[in-house]
């Protein structure tokens, strides 16, 4: 069987070797590719009416002679044509070729199909046997078709632009606003096209959202971008949009736009005056208005465009300017519709007040003249003039106690009418050292451009900084003076116990060795040196926190805390260690006071054996019992647990006493983050499981055999007092 198969294969190979060999290829430009007889060839035109020339070559490699009778024939779409004449009768010996030139000239964007055929006969040299056949090549022609169009959001209509002499008309657009045209390049053809570049010229026209170029636009795909019209000046504007394709074609479109002042028409009316037309970017003036009074005007605006207009917001800026009776925004106005609102001017000081009004994208400059008096302040110190405004600060040179400093204060009326000076005073001057002198009897009138002066004095009565207030009519100024060289601060003592225990509240006091002539404020700080890895968060002053403020009035010896008390308590907590209480001082103005004393109160809190606070039964069943015990261990550690079970009369309990090592569980708890909020306090739950010796009756309540349970905890400092929990 294997020999038969091999023999058949050899016979077939021998037969194949006797057939002719005809090879086809196509050449377009410098690119040549092979074809099969009867196969298909696809040709893509760069554009409509742009020819593509290519050659279909036939090469004979057989053992005879190949003769073509007649010329090759093209059937199908007329877009395919013979490029030039081909000899009607052609003979090819082995190794010879003949080329058939073809031209594809796309007339439509659809697929153009044609077939090239050329009949032949082949005569074999050895046998002189003649065979006939035909060369057949099917051809498909593709071509792109580009449309350029645009649409505006105002109407949403899509409009096509011609390849030449196209015009894109933008709707009238207000100055400094933007109208965008959504541009679309769509390939409706059957072949791809390359978009080489897109450019926009013209000062008011720009392009946005354009893809990276060059880019290939495939069949049925689109490229989108925006052309924006944003005029800065009034009148007609023109630009050019140019789209260049890889095939050499160009779409050139003229961009045209008209810049207008606004889509809206405005009218401005004050009081009973006739309405006056106003335009965006113009100056709108209000009537002269006295300080403290209000002038109002009505602004009406009408949509004069043929489409709906959206007003996102209406706002005003500038001191003294306000708007009222506003329509709800965002506001949509239909053609010929109108709206109105009120703009008001309420000046607070004389002079010219400017503002700005914005209605959508339209802006107006506002101007109002305020009538009234306006006081300007200055003061002179060390031959130097210092400008001063209401609410400002007058600073005296540093002095010593009992030394008087003088400052001259100048007041000038820069307004348009006389000012009445009703008050010149230093409220609360007693004890501050500030006073005024040398001004005319009050009240008096200060004419426009007139000035008056007075003396301001500072004679400090206490060292350090002193502040006060100067009042001229309703204007107030801060007065600041300072006296040098605070006296040395006396020795002091923080008084309290030397030792304490858990959850005590010792009293703390601070006493000076001698009275100080200046009022002092200070802070006691409580620091904790813990012996147990953590600090009990309940360790704090009775007022809360580990810092407490106090005052020492001038001439006093003892610190006074809140509510006028002269002692403050603090909570010791439940963790052994040391408490360190320190004091810091400053003047009432906040100047730190340096002390030579480094005294601090150290209070010891010794480690003790555990102490049980409470205990009880937390759960029970016929054969189990659970105890909950609450206690304190100042070392934040437990080493041992002892449990003694006392039976009721008539019962016996084996193993009535047992102990348990608590070192491991204790370390896990007291070194955990969860324990930090409890200090040395702990809650222990003891589950007890009971079983009978075998003589009990099933279902018996074994817990009834227990009268009480006594528990003892130990740490490194000893054992707690036993706590007995009654079970029955």
């Amino acid at each position: 069987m294997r020999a038969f198969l091999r023999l058949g294969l050899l016979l077939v190979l021998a037969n194949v070797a006797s057939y002719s060999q005809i090879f086809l290829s196509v050449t377009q430009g410098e690119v040549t590719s092979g074809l099969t007889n009867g196969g298909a060839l696809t040709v893509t035109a760069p554009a409509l009416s742009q020819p593509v020339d290519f050659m279909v070559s036939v090469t004979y490699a057989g053992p005879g002679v190949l003769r073509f009778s007649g010329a090759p024939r093209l059937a199908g779409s007329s877009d395919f044509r013979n490029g030039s004449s081909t000899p009607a009768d052609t003979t090819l010996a082995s190794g010879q070729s003949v080329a058939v030139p073809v031209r594809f000239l796309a007339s439509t964007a659809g697929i153009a199909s044609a077939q090239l055929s050329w009949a032949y006969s082949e005569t074999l040299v050895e046998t002189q046997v003649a065979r006939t056949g035909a060369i057949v090549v099917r051809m498909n022609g593709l071509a792109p078709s580009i449309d350029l169009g645009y649409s505006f959001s105002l109407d949403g209509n899509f409009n096509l632009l011609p390849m030449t002499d196209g015009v894109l008309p933008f709707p009238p657009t207000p100055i400094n606003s933007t109208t965008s045209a959504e541009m679309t390049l769509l390939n409706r053809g059957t072949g791809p096209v390359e978009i080489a570049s897109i450019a926009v010229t013209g000062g008011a026209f720009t392009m946005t959202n354009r893809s990276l170029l060059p880019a290939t636009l495939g069949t049925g795909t689109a490229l989108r971008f925006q052309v924006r019209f944003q005029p800065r000046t009034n009148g007609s504007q023109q630009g050019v949009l140019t789209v260049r394709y890889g095939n050499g074609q160009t779409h050139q479109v003229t961009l045209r736009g008209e810049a207008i002042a606004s889509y809206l028409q405005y009218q401005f009316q004050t009081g009973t005056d006739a309405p006056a037309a106003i335009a965006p970017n113009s100056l709108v003036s209000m009537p002269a208005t006295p300080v403290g009074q209000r002038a109002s005007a009505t602004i009406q605006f009408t949509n004069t465009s043929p489409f709906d207009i959206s007003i996102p917001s209406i706002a005003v800026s500038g001191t003294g300017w306000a708007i009222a009776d506003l329509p709800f925004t965002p506001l949509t106005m239909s053609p010929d519709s109108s709206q109105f609102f009120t703009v008001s001017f309420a000046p607070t000081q004389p002079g010219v007040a400017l503002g700005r009004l914005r209605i959508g994208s339209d802006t107006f400059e506002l101007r109002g003249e305020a009538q009234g008096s306006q006081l300007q302040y200055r003061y002179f110190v060390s031959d130097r003039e210092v400008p001063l405004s209401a609410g400002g600060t007058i600073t005296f040179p540093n002095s010593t106690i009992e030394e008087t400093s003088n400052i001259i204060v100048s007041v000038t009326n820069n307004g348009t009418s006389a000012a009445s000076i009703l008050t010149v005073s230093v409220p609360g001057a007693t004890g501050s050292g500030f006073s005024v002198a040398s001004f005319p009897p009050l009240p008096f009138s200060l004419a426009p451009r007139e000035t008056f002066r007075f003396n301001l004095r500072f004679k400090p009565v206490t060292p350090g900084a002193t502040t006060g207030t100067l009042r001229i009519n309703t204007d107030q100024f801060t007065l600041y003076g300072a006296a040098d060289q605070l006296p040395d601060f006396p020795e002091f003592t923080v008084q309290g116990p030397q030792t304490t225990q858990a959850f005590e509240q010792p009293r703390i006091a601070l006493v000076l060795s001698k009275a100080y002539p200046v009022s002092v404020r200070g802070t006691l700080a409580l620091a904790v040196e813990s012996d147990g890895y953590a600090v009990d968060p309940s360790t704090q002053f009775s007022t809360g926190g580990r810092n407490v403020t106090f005052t020492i009035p001038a001439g006093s010896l003892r610190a006074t805390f809140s509510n006028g008390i002269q002692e403050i308590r603090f909570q010791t907590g439940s963790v052994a260690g040391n408490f360190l209480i320190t004091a810091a001082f400053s003047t009432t103005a906040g100047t730190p006071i340096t002390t030579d004393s480094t005294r601090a109160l150290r209070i010891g809190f010794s480690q003790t054996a555990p102490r049980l606070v409470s205990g009880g039964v937390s759960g029970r069943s016929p054969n189990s019992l659970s105890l909950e015990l609450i206690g304190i261990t100042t070392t934040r550690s437990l080493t041992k647990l002892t449990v003694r079970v006392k039976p009721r009369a008539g019962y016996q309990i084996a193993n009535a006493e047992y102990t348990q090592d608590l070192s491991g569980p204790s370390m896990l708890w007291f070194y955990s983050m969860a324990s930090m909020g409890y200090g040395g306090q702990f809650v222990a739950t003891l589950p007890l499981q009971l079983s009978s010796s075998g003589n009990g009756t099933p279902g018996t309540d074994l817990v009834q055999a227990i009268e009480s349970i006594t528990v003892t905890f130990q740490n490194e400092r000893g054992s707690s007092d036993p706590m007995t929990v009654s079970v029955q």
Side-chain angles (χ1 to χ4, degrees):
M1 180 65 69
R2 291 179 181 174
F4 174 77
L5 289 175
R6 288 196 184 100
L7 180 59
L9 178 61
L10 290 173
L11 288 174
V12 170
L13 290 176
N15 290 336
V16 170
S18 65
Y19 282 99
S20 60
Q21 297 183 20
I22 301 173
F23 299 97
L24 303 181
S25 64
V26 60
T27 300
Q28 183 176 344
E30 298 180 356
V31 179
T32 300
S33 56
L35 287 173
T36 59
N37 194 7
L41 168 66
T42 299
V43 181
T44 301
L48 296 178
S49 302
Q50 285 195 10
V52 177
D53 292 315
F54 59 94
M55 304 285 288
V56 177
S57 298
V58 181
T59 302
Y60 179 60
V65 176
L66 193 69
R67 293 183 177 87
F68 292 96
S69 57
R73 297 180 57 194
L74 268 175
S77 173
S78 60
D79 290 353
F80 287 92
R81 306 171 187 174
N82 285 338
S84 61
S85 60
T86 302
D89 296 316
T90 302
T91 300
L92 299 178
S94 181
Q96 292 183 329
S97 300
V98 64
V100 179
V102 181
R103 167 169 287 188
F104 173 55
L105 186 64
S107 60
T108 66
I111 299 176
S113 298
Q115 180 172 291
L116 172 68
S117 60
W118 201 4
Y120 68 83
S121 64
E122 179 188 20
T123 303
L124 300 179
V125 174
E126 295 181 356
T127 62
Q128 294 298 309
V129 175
R131 291 193 294 268
T132 61
I135 301 298
V136 177
V137 177
R138 291 179 290 112
M139 293 176 291
N140 294 316
L142 310 178
S145 177
I146 299 298
D147 285 335
L148 174 62
Y150 66 92
S151 63
F152 293 109
S153 59
L154 295 173
D155 55 20
N157 296 328
F158 186 78
N159 305 281
L160 288 177
L161 291 165
M163 184 67 75
T164 58
D165 300 327
V167 176
L168 198 166
F170 283 81
T173 301
I175 295 173
N176 295 324
S177 64
T178 301
T179 300
S180 296
E182 187 73 24
M183 309 299 299
T184 301
L185 277 168
L186 176 62
N187 184 2
R188 299 179 184 271
T190 54
V193 67
E194 181 185 79
I195 310 300
S197 64
I198 304 175
V200 169
T201 59
F205 298 92
T206 57
M207 179 172 51
T208 61
N209 299 335
R210 191 205 68 185
S211 302
L212 186 64
L213 299 179
T216 299
L217 202 59
T219 300
T221 61
L223 185 147
R224 293 179 174 85
F225 59 96
Q226 286 184 343
V227 174
R228 297 171 51 183
F229 175 45
Q230 189 175 25
R232 303 295 184 186
T233 58
N234 203 8
S236 299
Q237 313 281 337
Q238 187 162 308
V240 176
L241 166 66
T242 303
V243 181
R244 300 187 185 279
Y245 303 98
N247 58 24
Q249 288 184 311
T250 299
H251 246 127
Q252 194 164 69
V253 179
T254 299
L255 307 174
R256 289 179 183 168
E258 180 74 20
I260 59 177
S262 175
Y263 291 131
L264 302 174
Q265 186 179 75
Y266 296 92
Q267 286 188 328
F268 179 82
Q269 183 177 18
T270 58
T272 58
D273 294 343
I278 57 175
N281 302 313
S282 64
L283 179 65
V284 179
S285 296
M286 294 287 280
T289 306
V291 173
Q293 297 187 23
R294 181 185 301 272
S296 298
T298 299
I299 292 182
Q300 178 176 313
F301 51 102
T302 303
N303 179 9
T304 59
S305 71
F307 37 77
D308 290 347
I309 297 300
S310 177
I311 309 297
S313 63
I314 301 174
V316 71
S317 63
T319 303
W321 296 93
I323 50 179
D325 306 323
L326 287 174
F328 291 110
T329 55
L331 169 68
T332 299
M333 298 182 64
S334 58
D336 298 324
S337 65
S338 298
Q339 294 285 345
F340 70 90
F341 63 91
T342 301
V343 60
S344 62
F345 174 52
T348 57
Q349 60 183 17
V352 175
L354 300 179
R356 175 169 290 186
L357 173 66
R358 178 179 289 274
I359 304 173
S361 60
D362 294 341
T363 60
F364 301 85
E365 300 298 324
L366 302 177
R367 184 184 186 278
E369 182 178 348
Q371 297 177 332
S373 61
Q374 183 178 36
L375 299 182
Q376 181 187 50
Y377 304 99
R378 294 171 293 173
Y379 71 93
F380 301 85
V381 57
S382 301
D383 299 326
R384 181 169 56 93
E385 179 181 327
V386 181
L388 182 65
S389 58
T393 299
I394 299 175
T395 302
F396 284 82
N398 280 9
S399 60
T400 59
I401 295 176
E402 302 302 326
E403 179 186 358
T404 300
S405 299
N406 285 286
I407 282 180
I408 296 176
V409 178
S410 170
V411 183
T412 302
N413 182 6
N414 287 334
T416 58
S417 59
S420 295
I421 307 300
L422 306 176
T423 301
V424 179
S425 64
V426 179
T430 303
S432 69
F434 297 106
S435 62
V436 293
S438 306
F439 54 84
L442 298 174
F444 66 90
S445 179
L446 189 64
R449 304 305 172 186
E450 190 174 66
T451 298
F452 85 95
R453 293 177 173 85
F454 63 91
N455 286 337
L456 185 61
R457 297 172 179 171
F458 173 53
K459 183 178 180 180
V461 295
T462 59
T466 303
T467 59
T469 301
L470 170 65
R471 178 176 296 166
I472 302 176
N473 287 354
T474 59
D475 293 335
Q476 295 191 75
F477 310 88
T478 298
L479 304 177
Y480 178 86
D484 297 332
Q485 299 179 351
L486 284 170
D488 292 338
F489 197 71
E491 295 288 330
F492 66 92
T493 303
V494 181
Q495 298 178 348
Q498 299 300 308
T499 61
T500 187
Q501 297 182 6
F503 291 122
E504 288 192 342
Q505 293 187 354
R507 298 174 184 270
I508 305 298
L510 187 144
V511 181
L512 301 182
S513 61
K514 63 179 181 180
Y516 195 60
V518 179
S519 294
V520 172
R521 67 183 182 187
T523 302
L524 287 183
L526 171 62
V528 183
E529 299 173 348
S530 173
D531 290 346
Y533 176 68
V535 175
D536 192 333
S538 68
T539 301
Q540 56 184 329
F541 286 107
S542 59
T543 54
R546 293 185 184 150
N547 292 284
V548 61
T549 59
F550 60 85
T551 60
I552 305 176
S556 299
L557 293 174
R558 299 180 67 88
T560 300
F561 300 94
S562 60
N563 298 325
I565 61 175
Q566 293 186 334
E567 290 182 328
I568 189 74
R569 293 177 179 269
F570 79 92
Q571 169 74 38
T572 60
S574 57
V575 182
N578 294 295
F579 303 111
L580 188 66
I581 300 177
T582 57
F585 305 89
S586 68
T587 66
T588 55
T591 303
I593 296 177
T594 303
T595 64
D596 294 333
S597 174
T598 58
R599 297 179 183 179
L601 175 62
R602 180 180 290 273
I603 303 175
F605 182 176
S606 300
Q607 298 179 356
T608 60
R611 176 159 62 92
L612 291 174
V613 178
S614 64
V617 176
S618 60
R620 63 183 295 165
S621 67
N623 59 355
S624 66
L625 191 66
S626 180
L627 302 184
E628 184 177 88
L629 299 141
I630 300 175
I632 301 170
T633 173
T634 60
T635 62
R636 281 180 53 85
S637 63
L638 295 171
T639 59
K640 186 178 180 181
L641 166 69
T642 302
V643 179
R644 298 181 181 89
V645 182
K646 180 180 179 180
R648 292 177 61 192
Y651 291 91
Q652 292 184 352
I653 297 178
N655 301 322
E657 179 176 339
Y658 70 94
T659 61
Q660 182 175 346
D661 184 4
L662 295 182
S663 300
S666 170
M667 180 176 293
L668 287 176
W669 166 248
F670 286 113
Y671 278 76
S672 70
M673 292 300 298
S675 73
M676 299 302 174
Y678 299 95
Q681 302 178 77
F682 65 89
V683 177
T685 302
L686 277 61
L688 302 176
Q689 190 72 32
L690 307 177
S691 62
S692 66
S693 61
N695 298 322
T697 303
T700 300
D701 187 348
L702 301 180
V703 176
Q704 291 183 356
I706 299 175
E707 180 177 318
S708 63
I709 298 174
T710 301
V711 180
T712 304
F713 285 88
Q714 294 183 19
N715 64 10
E716 295 85 345
R717 295 301 178 184
S719 298
S720 69
D721 292 336
M723 175 168 282
T724 300
V725 178
S726 177
V727 176
Q728 303 304 325

